[in-house]
Each structure stands twice: as structure tokens, then as C-alpha cells.
Amino acid sequence: MLDNLERKINKWLFSGDSRIELYETIALLLENGVVLSKAIQDIYKIESDNGKKTKAVRAMVLNSLHRGISRGQSLSSAMASWIPNQEVALIKAGETSGHLSAALKECSKIIRAKQEIRGSVIGGVLYPLTITSVLIVLLYQISTRMVPQFARITPEESWTGAAWILAQIAHYVVNWGLLTLIGLILFMAWVIWSLPNLYRSRLRIWLDQIPPWSIYRALHGSTFLLNISVMLKAGVRLQDVLILMA
């Protein structure tokens, strides 16, 4: 069980940037006439510092690949437990067509494209979240510090206009702020859960028209089309592409 957990953690740590670097290094060596098994072995020596850092993530991946290839596995089969299915399909298509280095480069392209899409979405979401967080902190400071000090100078009963509104906000934050915060956290948890799971309900049709569901739909829609186009370009049959994407 611990071995499985460690492998899952290492697979997660074998991130897009790590895969890009590995793919491009292997592709470069293949283009320069280095045999695949020799390329894997040479990269492993570098990543493990000649066997001194065998627990490094990329060193573990390369060691696994080397053992698999030594047993007669293809690169795609050896990497299947470390990378997403779409990348496995691309590498397999490259092996079948005899253009493995080109397929590895396509894998790098698709990872970069996904990172750019994801980065744009995260950047768009972080800004309003930051503004909201700052607003909550300011409201708390005003409610617990400023309003009580003003109340000592002038009774709240005599406040009008903006001062009265400020007092009402202060009372709400003091009396209901914690419950509101808990409610917001629960709502955000439900939103996060609903993004990948709430897809069979009619409610989702309406939700997909507003953020963050509309952003999620755009992100996965663009990624889906990108995956299909790259795999078709690499020679993967449309039927196989649709099976992989299902």
C-alpha cells in the first residue's frame, strides 16, 4: 500500500514541466542517432547523478523506463503508468509510424498548450478572489475597530446616511460574519465538487452559462479539441482518439 501511495505521489510530482524536459531530451538524442535504450540510460545517469540520487522523481521514472525497455516493452508501454493516456497514445502513434521523436515533441506542445490555457483561467479567477479576500479583511477591521471607536464619540442612534450603513454592516459582520464565512466555504466546496461531477442534471445547462462553470466548460472544451487535433496529426485513428477521450 505504501509503495502504491509513493508511486502515486511520484506520478503527481512528475509534472508537465518535467515531462516536457524529458520528452525533448529523448527526442534530441534520437534525432542525433542515439538508440532509445542508450538515451534512457544516459539521461538516467544525469538525473540520478550517477546513481547517487535514485529517489529523485525523474530518476525513478527513467529507471522504470529502462527496466521496461530492457524487458522488451515499447516506450509507450513503459511510460503508461507515469503519464496521461493522451500522451501514451501520441507516443504509441509515433512508434507505429516511425516518427517517435516528432511524437515526443507533439507531447511537449500539448502540455505547454494546456499549461497556457490553465494559467489564463487561474489568472482570471485569482484576481476576483484576491479582491474579495481583501474586502472581507477590511470589513472585519472596520467592524471591530473603527465603528466601536466612532460609537464612543457619537451614539449610533444619531448616525445617518453612510455612517448608518457602515454601522449596519458592522453589526452584521460581528453577529453573522462567522456563519456567513462558513456558508461561503461550504458553497465554494460545493462549486468545486460540482465542476467535474454535476453533469447529468438539468441545472448544469443553466450553470454552464455563468462563471466558474462557463470557465470550466471552456477550459475542458478547448483542451478536448486540442487533444483530438494533436493525436489526429500524430496518426492516431479517430476511433481510437474518441475511445481514449471517453
Side-chain angles (χ1 to χ4, degrees):
M1 183 176 178
L2 289 175
D3 290 339
N4 290 334
L5 179 61
E6 183 181 5
R7 189 175 183 85
K8 288 180 180 179
I9 293 173
N10 287 326
K11 182 179 179 179
W12 178 75
L13 292 173
F14 188 45
S15 61
D17 290 334
S18 295
R19 298 201 306 275
I20 287 173
E21 186 173 345
L22 179 60
Y23 292 152
E24 292 183 346
T25 304
I26 295 175
L28 180 63
L29 291 173
L30 291 177
E31 289 173 351
N32 283 277
V34 181
V35 179
L36 178 61
S37 58
K38 181 69 165 57
I40 298 294
Q41 191 174 11
D42 290 344
I43 301 171
Y44 170 74
K45 289 179 181 178
I46 295 171
E47 293 293 341
S48 66
D49 193 13
N50 288 319
K52 297 177 183 177
K53 299 178 180 178
T54 57
K55 291 297 183 180
V57 175
R58 276 189 286 194
M60 293 178 68
V61 173
L62 287 160
N63 187 37
S64 175
L65 298 183
H66 179 65
R67 291 200 309 269
I69 292 172
S70 298
R71 292 195 297 266
Q73 288 184 327
S74 62
L75 180 62
S76 59
S77 298
M79 296 195 78
S81 60
W82 291 102
I83 61 177
N85 291 335
Q86 294 91 338
E87 293 171 30
V88 174
L90 280 172
I91 295 172
K92 187 174 182 179
E95 291 169 336
T96 303
S97 63
H99 299 92
L100 180 56
S101 61
L104 291 170
K105 290 180 179 179
E106 290 295 333
C107 286
S108 298
K109 288 180 182 178
I110 199 171
I111 294 171
R112 285 196 177 95
K114 288 180 179 179
Q115 288 176 337
E116 289 177 4
I117 295 170
R118 193 178 297 114
S120 299
V121 172
I122 292 173
V125 171
L126 279 180
Y127 179 75
L129 284 178
T130 302
I131 296 298
T132 302
S133 300
V134 171
L135 180 61
I136 291 172
V137 173
L138 286 175
L139 283 174
Y140 179 78
Q141 294 294 329
I142 291 171
S143 303
T144 57
R145 296 188 179 185
M146 291 181 61
V147 171
Q149 290 180 4
F150 290 154
R152 294 190 190 101
I153 300 172
T154 306
E156 287 188 31
E157 292 77 12
S158 63
W159 292 11
T160 59
W164 181 84
I165 294 173
L166 190 63
Q168 300 309 308
I169 293 174
H171 290 314
Y172 180 86
V173 170
V174 171
N175 296 320
W176 301 99
L178 181 60
L179 288 176
T180 302
L181 181 61
I182 293 173
L184 285 173
I185 292 173
L186 291 175
F187 176 72
M188 290 178 64
W190 178 81
V191 168
I192 293 171
W193 172 86
S194 70
L195 289 173
N197 295 300
L198 189 68
Y199 57 89
R200 294 183 179 178
S201 171
R202 291 184 178 180
L203 176 63
R204 187 57 181 260
I205 298 174
W206 179 79
L207 290 175
D208 277 341
Q209 308 303 315
I210 58 174
W213 294 273
S214 60
I215 296 173
Y216 183 85
R217 183 186 63 174
L219 172 63
H220 280 262
S222 57
T223 303
F224 177 79
L225 294 174
L226 178 64
N227 286 336
I228 289 178
S229 65
V230 171
M231 283 193 280
L232 289 175
K233 183 180 178 182
V236 183
R237 294 187 308 163
L238 179 59
Q239 182 179 358
D240 295 333
V241 171
L242 295 176
I243 291 173
L244 284 169
M245 300 298 293

